[in-house]
């Protein structure tokens, strides 16, 4: 029940910024979805969508949990529904060994990788998806390796697995992570298409909620 086609009339909230956000927004808009971007780079998003495609941009500074909560409320109040949520999760920067990291910086990493996505999922669930169903995709926004990045990735996958179990079968929850064979450019190029696939097709449950994007298709052939 969770997933429905992102065709005309479906509403998708994308949280995040940067090149991947613009690519995801553009791909969803091309499929006829009504896209809302909660982020700080409105101009890039507008350039990515086809002329005349509906796009609502809600300014949200990274880490502003109240703003992301208000963004969910605005989507439901203004558009009357919220079918899909795509959280683009930034990886911590700069990379480096954990033993050389300021421990206080871990708070920012936890906020970006766990707290902000969870805040958006909770608000979307209680405002709309609990009653009507929907789907969530948590996307690692860039390909990077290192102690802080791998720690954030491990936590995000655990968060996704727990949410998938708690919200099933009403809401489908997945994470999309980069495979080791892809560089950052290749990952960003394929992630937007993969997100659209995850939102519009039912996933084989045997693959689990965490899906790896590699040179092969992220998801095998599936039926509705």
């Amino acid at each position: 029940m969770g997933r429905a086609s992102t065709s005309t009339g479906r509403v998708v909230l994308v949280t995040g910024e940067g090149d991947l956000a613009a690519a995801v927004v553009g791909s969803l808009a091309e499929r006829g979805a009504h896209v809302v971007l909660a982020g700080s780079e409105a101009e890039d998003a507008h350039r990515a969508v086809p002329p005349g495609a509906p796009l609502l941009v809600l300014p949200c500074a990274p880490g502003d949990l109240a703003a992301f909560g208000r963004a969910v409320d605005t989507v439901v109040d203004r558009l009357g529904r919220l079918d899909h949520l795509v959280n683009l999760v930034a990886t911590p920067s700069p990379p480096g060994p954990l033993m050389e990291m300021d421990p206080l910086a871990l708070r920012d990493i936890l906020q970006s990788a766990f707290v902000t996505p969870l805040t958006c999922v909770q608000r979307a669930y209680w405002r709309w998806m609990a009653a009507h169903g929907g789907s969530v995709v948590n996307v690692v926004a860039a390909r990077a390796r290192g102690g802080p990045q791998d720690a954030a990735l491990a936590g995000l996958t655990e968060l996704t697995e727990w949410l998938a179990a708690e919200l099933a079968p009403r809401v489908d929850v997945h994470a999309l992570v980069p495979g080791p064979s892809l560089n950052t450019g290749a990952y960003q190029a394929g992630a937007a298409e993969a997100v659209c696939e995850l939102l519009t097709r039912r996933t084989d449950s045997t693959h689990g909620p965490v899906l790896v994007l590699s040179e092969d298709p992220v998801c095998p052939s599936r039926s509705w």
Side-chain angles (χ1 to χ4, degrees):
M1 167 164 230
R3 186 165 295 118
S5 172
T6 51
S7 57
T8 302
R10 308 299 295 182
V11 176
V12 186
L13 173 61
V14 179
T15 72
E17 55 193 31
D19 293 340
L20 181 57
V24 169
V25 166
S27 294
L28 290 168
E30 287 175 355
R31 288 164 169 77
H34 194 145
V35 186
V36 182
L37 175 64
S40 60
E41 298 181 6
E43 191 63 30
D44 289 342
H46 279 292
R47 285 197 297 265
V49 302
L55 173 65
L56 173 64
V57 177
L58 303 175
C60 292
D64 189 344
L65 299 182
F68 283 106
R70 290 192 299 270
V72 172
D73 292 340
T74 298
V75 171
V76 176
D77 294 340
R78 189 177 300 185
L79 302 180
R81 62 191 304 149
L82 176 53
D83 303 292
H84 309 288
L85 171 64
V86 179
N87 291 312
L88 304 181
V89 180
T91 53
S93 179
L98 286 171
M99 290 304 294
E100 297 177 7
M101 178 183 179
D102 180 355
L104 294 180
L106 184 61
R107 292 183 301 187
D108 294 334
I109 294 173
L110 292 176
Q111 178 125 333
S112 172
F114 318 136
V115 180
T116 299
L118 178 59
T119 297
C120 295
V121 173
Q122 287 178 332
R123 195 66 154 256
Y125 182 77
W126 293 117
R127 280 303 313 268
W128 181 263
M129 294 182 180
H132 305 279
S135 61
V136 175
V137 183
N138 297 319
V139 185
V140 176
R143 177 78 179 94
R145 295 303 302 268
Q149 289 86 352
D150 286 354
L153 176 60
L156 180 65
T157 57
E158 284 291 324
L159 174 69
T160 299
E161 289 175 351
W162 276 104
L163 289 174
E166 287 188 19
L167 303 187
R170 200 68 175 165
V171 177
D172 295 332
V173 183
H174 290 91
L176 181 65
V177 303
S181 63
L182 294 182
N183 59 34
T184 298
Y187 175 65
Q188 291 187 346
E193 183 69 22
V195 166
C196 295
E197 287 293 309
L198 286 171
L199 296 183
T200 57
R201 297 176 183 270
R202 293 199 175 277
T203 304
D204 186 344
S205 60
T206 61
H207 295 179
V210 179
L211 302 172
V212 178
L213 182 65
S214 63
E215 294 177 356
D216 298 322
V218 63
C219 301
S221 177
R222 304 184 294 276
S223 60
W224 285 90

